[in-house]
Amino acid sequence: MDHPLHRPPVVRQVSELIGATPLFELCRTESDARLLLKLEQFNPTGTAKIRMARQMVIDAEERGLLRPGGRIIESTSGNTGLGLAVVAAERGYTFTAVVDHHAAKDKLRAMKAMGTELVYVADEGDDDLATAAREELAERMAAESDNAYFTEQHNNLANGVGYHPVARELDAALEGRIDVLIGAVGTGGGLFGTGGELRRTVPGVRIVGVEPKGSIAFGPPAHDYHQSGTGTPEGATIGAMVDYSLLDEGAKVGDIEAFATARAVARRTGLLLGGSAGGVVYEALTRMTSLAPGTTMVALINDGGEKYLDTVFDDDWMGARDLLSPDVEREVDELLAKLRRVAPGARADRVSPGDDPRTPGRTSGSAKVPGVDIARET
């Protein structure tokens, strides 16, 4: 079996490039607590979701639900559709993506470039998120078509299985020394698929979920939000992979904070993050000064910011929706500037050789993070 961190030097299929994504140290405290970003934008299509897209298709083939020459149908805000477009092209299927205009335009253009049929559930100019309507149409289309399969990412357990390799990559890269795993919660596959598998080897890892304010997985109130590809809007069913038994904390982050963080990180580091990833990083940054010495927190970054240049990184788009906040961007930038000044090992003199640098007598994988259960809002 290949090493989890190995990427072959020569491949014949795009999907062979999936995985072995890097870790980026965004910042650390003076007590050597650090925040690492798992940069899933280094997968083909620039997103983590190609991992589960491939697994859902493989699972359907193995169960006889998808036959040669068949059609894959999925309701998507873009990233899952991009992954399915690649897999469909490689394996000889056609792919129909049921979409709305809430999705980033570049995602829709990229799917179409790979031969995807786009079916819209809303008229041009209607930018509202329409998850429930998309799901209903995709299910109906599959039922009415011969040799068509609705991958149904929100309720497909293969979704979570597709992220098991992420856990193995983290375990191998950090040699089991990971205390907190934090990530966005949409379908639930990414955070809970990774977190559940990681707990097999690092049983003490703390799992923190982040959803947009307005999403309902961690409770009300429900309202519209602009973070794309994450959360559970009002009227939609909470994904089958959202496993509350694995969750230690759930937090909500507003669009302004999420997008301000993505913009501040880009200016401070040159790293472009997607909007929902900005929410995950914002929540992680608010926790940094409360972490125990030597804690390693890993944030799952589901995609990069290149697909959001005409939204999150566009002042006109942001301003038209009252999402621009120079004050919040400045606060995030100042925190990043402070935490990125700390050099690795800056406080190493305070740890005796052979000691666990986290706390005396504590073993890896059991950091205690202050916070409330399930519905913490920031």
Side-chain angles (χ1 to χ4, degrees):
M1 183 176 181
D2 289 337
H3 190 277
L5 302 181
H6 172 72
R7 179 174 278 184
V10 178
V11 301
R12 296 191 64 188
Q13 291 187 317
V14 170
S15 62
E16 293 179 70
L17 295 171
I18 295 172
T21 54
L23 287 164
F24 176 82
E25 183 177 301
L26 181 63
C27 58
R28 70 168 60 212
T29 67
E30 291 186 353
S31 62
D32 272 343
R34 60 179 178 166
L35 172 59
L36 305 180
L37 309 184
K38 180 67 166 166
L39 299 181
E40 287 291 280
Q41 64 261 53
F42 284 88
N43 283 303
T45 72
T47 171
K49 292 194 174 183
I50 193 171
R51 293 181 185 262
M52 62 90 151
R54 176 176 61 177
Q55 187 61 43
M56 290 192 300
V57 172
I58 291 172
D59 177 74
E61 291 173 342
E62 291 176 346
R63 293 195 291 142
L65 301 175
L66 187 58
R67 302 188 303 278
R71 177 177 296 274
I72 299 166
I73 300 175
E74 180 56 88
S75 158
T76 176
S77 60
N79 279 336
T80 300
L82 287 170
L84 286 170
V86 170
V87 177
E90 288 184 346
R91 303 174 88 90
Y93 302 115
T94 54
F95 173 48
T96 297
V98 181
V99 300
D100 53 41
H101 293 285
H102 186 269
K105 297 296 185 289
D106 281 347
K107 296 179 184 178
L108 301 176
R109 295 184 191 111
M111 282 191 284
K112 192 171 182 179
M114 289 186 279
T116 300
E117 176 193 25
L118 300 180
V119 176
Y120 290 87
V121 296
D123 294 332
E124 184 73 36
D126 182 354
D127 293 338
D128 290 342
L129 183 61
T131 304
R134 293 195 327 245
E135 297 281 319
E136 291 171 7
L137 179 56
E139 184 176 16
R140 186 168 69 250
M141 290 177 64
E144 295 173 351
S145 303
D146 181 53
N147 195 16
Y149 177 64
F150 176 27
T151 42
E152 198 178 1
Q153 59 175 311
H154 284 83
N155 294 304
N156 191 328
L157 297 182
N159 175 340
V161 175
Y163 292 104
H164 288 181
V166 180
R168 294 191 284 271
E169 291 170 28
L170 291 174
D171 192 19
L174 300 172
E175 298 179 330
R177 297 178 69 82
I178 172 172
D179 302 282
V180 184
L181 181 70
I182 184 169
V185 176
T187 68
L191 180 63
F192 297 107
T194 303
E197 181 71 7
L198 189 60
R199 282 229 174 119
R200 295 178 59 186
T201 54
V202 188
V205 66
R206 189 170 182 82
I207 298 174
V208 180
V210 180
E211 70 172 350
K213 287 183 178 179
S215 175
I216 62 171
F218 301 151
H223 57 74
D224 292 342
Y225 56 87
H226 292 281
Q227 293 172 63
S228 176
T230 188
T232 307
E234 188 174 22
T237 302
I238 295 173
M241 272 68 60
V242 178
D243 188 345
Y244 295 104
S245 70
L246 289 174
L247 185 71
D248 291 295
E249 290 181 64
K252 294 175 180 278
V253 175
D255 290 335
I256 289 175
E257 291 78 11
F259 296 166
T261 302
R263 291 160 66 98
V265 169
R267 287 196 300 269
R268 175 61 56 178
T269 69
L271 180 66
L272 289 170
L273 306 178
S276 63
V280 172
V281 172
Y282 179 85
E283 181 63 28
L285 287 172
T286 66
R287 297 165 178 265
M288 288 300 295
T289 57
S290 300
L291 296 178
T295 295
T296 292
M297 176 163 52
V298 173
L300 299 175
I301 304 302
N302 285 334
D303 70 349
E306 292 85 354
K307 301 165 189 167
Y308 307 96
L309 297 179
D310 57 356
T311 55
V312 175
F313 297 98
D314 183 273
D315 288 356
D316 292 337
W317 186 92
M318 292 279 288
R321 292 158 179 78
D322 295 323
L323 296 172
L324 272 178
S325 178
D327 289 342
V328 177
E329 288 186 39
R330 187 179 309 110
E331 291 170 7
V332 174
D333 185 68
E334 289 173 354
L335 180 57
L336 280 171
K338 176 183 176 182
L339 292 174
R340 285 182 65 81
R341 281 198 298 266
V342 180
R347 308 269 289 195
D349 57 309
R350 300 192 179 189
V351 182
S352 300
D355 286 350
D356 187 323
R358 294 161 175 76
T359 53
R362 191 170 72 79
T363 59
S364 173
S366 58
K368 297 298 181 184
V369 182
V372 303
D373 290 336
I374 301 303
R376 178 177 180 272
E377 289 208 9
T378 52

